[in-house]
Amino acid sequence: MINLHETGWHDNGEISDWEHRYSAHMKNANVYAEASRWANGNYTQTTAAYLEDIDRDGVNEVVMHNDKLLAVYESIGGKANWIFVKNNNGGHYSVVGSDMAYWSETDGDYNESSNNHVAALSESYPNQQHDTYEWNLLQTSGEEVEVEFSKNNITKTCKLETGNAYLEVEYTTSGDIYVKSGWSPDLLDLIWSGKGNLQRMWGDYGNYCGRRNNASGATAAYVLGNGGAEHNTSFEGTLVMGDEIKGGANFKIFLYAGFTSEPYDEFNNKVIELDNLADILEDDIPPTVWQQQAAWVDENKLQLTFSEAISAATAENEANYQLQNFSGSYTITEAVLTHNRRVVLTSNNDFSTGDLGEIVLHNIADLNGNVIAADQNIVAVVEIIRPHLVGSFNDWQPDDHSYDLNLQANGLWQASLQLEAGEHGYKILETDNWDDNEFPYENQIISLDETTEVTFFVNCGAKIENFEGIEYVCHNTNLPVVVGDFLSEIGGTDWNEQTELTMMNDEGMNGDDVAGDGIFSRTVHIPQGSYEYKVVLNNNWDQNTTSENLSFNISQNADVTFFYNMIENNVDLSYEMVANEQQTELILPAAKITAVYPNPFISGSSKSSSAEVKFNLKKAQKIQLNAYNIKGQLVKKLAVGKFGTGEHTISWNMQRQEIATGIYFIKLQAGKNNDVRRILYLK
C-alpha cells in the first residue's frame, strides 16, 4: 500500500500524473517480488550476473546477486536503483531504494533533486545520473561475477564474489569524478519509524561512510580505505540519508550492503565489519597517462596528464623520460609537476613541425608507490588545438587563433594584446567550437579609458582541450584582490570585489617574494580580530577560487600576507610580527597545529622513522591534513575525516616515502579554518 499513497491527481499531458506514479510504483513492486524469490532461496545459482526486465517496464536491467546481496542496475545512469540483503538468521531487507518517494519530478527511473530517491553509484559530476549507459557482462557465473558500465569517459566495473556482503567497484575516468549514493537501510523500519534508528557510520579519517539501522543492523556504506577516493559531502531526503565521494581518474571502493554488529565507539560510528574492509582496501592501481598521449604545447614543451596524483620525486626526474622515434635530436632538460598530475617536459631544442615521436616513461609512481605499467608507459606525442582568446576583439570567432596563449615556465598560459579604449568581452577556448570547453561561464569584461596592452594569465587545468572546472583566468588591468570582512578595518568596504586596497601582484612587490612565479601576493596591515576572506579574480564573482569563505584570527595587530597560487588555485596566508607592537600571533580558534617534530627531520639519524604532527581541535569536526612541497604540490595525504575535541597526533613516515631534501608544508584544514607549519627534511 505504501506504493499507492499519492495517486489521485491529474496535471498536464495525455496521461494523468496519478497513472505515471502508479506505473512507477508497480515497477518497484515487481522488483520486490523478484527479490523475495531470491531471499527465499529459490535461485539455482548462488552467484550470477545477467540481463532481465526485472521491473517489467520493457527494458532490461542488470542483476547481480550472491548469497548475501542482490543488486539491480538501470541503464539510466548505470546506477544500482535497488540493493537487497539477507543474513543467515532469516533477515532480509532493502538497503538502497526509497521506492515510495517518487514525487511529480519522475516516473521512477531517475534520481530526484529533492534527494528523496537517489540510487547507489550515481555519477553526480560529470553529471551522468540520467544518461543511458552501456554495459558489458564480463563474467556471468562462478565464484565471482563482473559487469562493466560505461558512458563517455567514465567506466565503472562492479565485481561480486560469493560470500561477500559488498560490491567491489573500480572507476576509470579522464579526471576527477563525484559519485553519490542514497542509503535506506531497512526501508520498512524507516517507513514506520522514520530515520531515528539510523546511525552514522564513519571510519578513521573517513575511510568509510554510510548508515546503519540500529533496529536490525542492516547497513549500507561506502568503504574507501586507501583505494584513492575520499568523502566529499552528505545529503538527506525524506527517508534517505546519503554520501557523495570524490575520486581521481582511477580508484577503487567497496559498496557494503549487509549487516553489522553494534558500534563499539562512544559516537556509535565504528563497526568491526567496516573496519576490516577498510584495512584491506589498498590502492593497487598504477597511474596511466590520459589517452596515452603527450600534447605538444609549445615549441620545446610537451605536456602529460596522469590519471591521479603522482610522486613529485619521480615526476620531476628528467631521467624518467626517454624520447624515441623522432627525426631530430632532442633531450628532456626539465620536468615540472603541477596540479599534482600534470607534467610539462622541456626539451633542449624546439620540436620541428610534424616531427612527433613517442615518450617512454620509467619509474613514474603515484603517491602510494604504484609504478606505471609496462603496457602503459609509451605515449604518443600529438599536436593539439592551442588554447586561445576569443572575444569582442575578434567577433567571437571560436576558431580564430590570432590570440593564442603561450605556456610559461611557471606553468601558467599567457597572452598580451593591445586593446583600444572601450569595453571588451572575452573567454578562453580550448577547442575551435562552442562545445562547453570554454571558460569562464560568464563573459569577462575589460573596461579601458585608453589604448592599453593587456596581459592575460590563464590556468588551463590539467588537460588541454577538455574543460574540467578547475580553469581560471585574470588580466593585468584587473588583478586578483583579497576581499573579506576586514576591509572596513583598513578603510574600505567589506566584501567589495572592486577594491584596490588589497590588489595582489606577481612582480616581487608588496609581499610578493618572487616575480613571475605564478603566485600572486599582497601584504596588508590588519588590526586584531577574527575575519573571513576570499580571493576574487577580475573584480567579479564569476570564478570562485574557494568554495567557502576562509577564516583567520589575529590576537594582535599584524602584517598579513595573502597568497594566491594561480597554477594550483590555492589560497593561503602568513603573518609577521609588527615592529614596536606586542608580538603578533595567529591563532585559529577552532583548529591549530601545535607541533611538528623532530624539525628538522634528518633521515637515518632520527630516533623515529616518522615525523609527528600534533593538532588541536576545539570541537569535533571533519579535517584534512596534507603535506605539500615548496611548489604547492600535494606530497602526502596525512589524514582526512572527523576527529573529536582535543589533541591528536598523526605520523608521517618521511623515510619510507621517496621525497627530496627541502622544506615541506603541513596544512590543516578544518571547516573554514586553516593552519600551516613548515618542516625541513634532510638526508
Side-chain angles (χ1 to χ4, degrees), residues 213-391:
N213 194 310
N214 193 39
S216 60
T219 303
Y222 283 129
V223 179
L224 308 179
N226 193 32
E230 62 185 31
H231 186 263
N232 183 55
T233 190
S234 302
F235 58 88
E236 186 171 351
T238 303
L239 296 177
V240 173
M241 302 186 84
D243 291 293
E244 182 181 69
I245 60 173
K246 174 186 177 183
N250 293 96
F251 63 93
K252 185 188 298 183
I253 62 172
F254 296 151
L255 195 156
Y256 184 86
F259 297 83
T260 55
S261 55
E262 289 287 336
Y264 61 82
D265 67 312
E266 59 177 319
F267 301 108
N268 291 321
N269 293 152
K270 297 180 173 64
V271 292
I272 293 297
E273 293 84 354
L274 298 183
D275 283 349
N276 291 339
L277 287 178
D279 287 342
I280 66 172
L281 180 55
E282 293 288 337
D283 174 17
D284 57 2
I285 305 172
T288 59
V289 176
W290 184 52
Q291 297 183 337
Q292 279 196 268
Q293 293 179 343
W296 181 23
V297 292
D298 212 340
E299 283 80 0
N300 68 333
K301 288 182 170 57
L302 306 174
Q303 176 177 306
L304 303 94
T305 302
F306 288 86
S307 57
E308 58 181 308
I310 56 176
S311 158
T314 62
E316 296 191 332
N317 184 349
E318 299 89 349
N320 288 340
Y321 306 93
Q322 176 188 345
L323 302 180
Q324 67 179 23
N325 297 329
F326 288 87
S327 299
S329 177
Y330 312 106
T331 302
I332 298 302
T333 58
E334 184 180 42
V336 177
L337 174 67
T338 67
H339 300 81
N340 297 316
R341 60 192 184 93
R342 183 188 82 167
V343 176
V344 176
L345 303 176
T346 301
S347 168
N348 61 331
N349 295 313
D350 292 349
F351 295 99
S352 301
T353 301
D355 189 9
L356 304 176
E358 297 171 328
I359 308 174
V360 183
L361 311 180
H362 303 281
N363 306 317
I364 304 296
D366 64 17
L367 298 181
N368 289 305
N370 298 305
V371 177
I372 190 168
D375 61 347
Q376 295 286 326
N377 74 331
I378 299 178
V379 298
V381 177
V382 298
E383 294 189 52
I384 62 164
I385 296 174
R386 183 72 65 89
H388 52 289
L389 286 160
V390 175

Side-chain angles (χ1 to χ4, degrees), residues 7-21:
T7 57
W9 72 93
H10 192 302
D11 290 339
N12 299 317
E14 296 180 2
I15 300 176
S16 63
D17 280 353
W18 74 265
E19 289 183 271
H20 278 302
R21 247 35 80 216

Side-chain angles (χ1 to χ4, degrees), residues 88 115 145 162 234 429 471 493 505 512 563:
N88 297 325
N115 291 327
V145 293
T162 302
S234 302
L429 263 68
E471 292 85 351
T493 302
N505 79 96
D512 188 61
F563 303 98

Side-chain angles (χ1 to χ4, degrees), residues 41 201 220 222 339 343 472 517 522:
M201 295 289 95
Y222 283 129
H339 300 81
V343 176
Y472 299 89
D517 63 353
R522 179 61 184 255

Side-chain angles (χ1 to χ4, degrees), residues 396-457:
W396 297 98
Q397 294 299 312
D399 58 350
D400 183 350
H401 283 264
S402 301
Y403 307 105
D404 278 355
L405 302 173
N406 294 301
L407 184 60
Q408 306 298 298
N410 61 19
L412 291 177
W413 294 77
Q414 192 170 309
S416 297
L417 61 150
Q418 291 280 342
L419 292 178
E420 296 179 352
E423 187 172 278
H424 308 270
Y426 74 90
K427 283 179 180 283
I428 305 298
L429 263 68
E430 296 191 17
T431 65
D432 284 346
N433 301 287
W434 297 108
D435 55 5
D436 296 327
N437 282 306
E438 65 273 1
F439 63 93
Y441 180 76
E442 299 288 345
N443 295 342
Q444 298 301 286
I445 304 299
I446 304 173
S447 297
L448 301 175
D449 295 328
E450 59 184 3
T451 300
T452 305
E453 182 176 82
V454 180
T455 299
F456 298 83
F457 307 97

Side-chain angles (χ1 to χ4, degrees), residues 1 48 63 131 157 180 220 223 310 347 382 417 444 480 506-507 608 630 673 683:
M1 293 302 295
V63 181
D131 293 352
T157 305
K180 64 181 183 180
V223 179
I310 56 176
S347 168
V382 298
L417 61 150
Q444 298 301 286
D506 187 20
E507 299 177 359
S608 171
I630 199 167
N673 297 280
K683 293 184 180 181

Side-chain angles (χ1 to χ4, degrees), residues 484-500:
D485 56 7
F486 65 88
L487 288 177
S488 59
E489 301 290 338
I490 61 173
T493 302
D494 287 343
W495 299 104
N496 176 18
E497 74 276 15
Q498 301 289 330
T499 185
E500 295 183 1

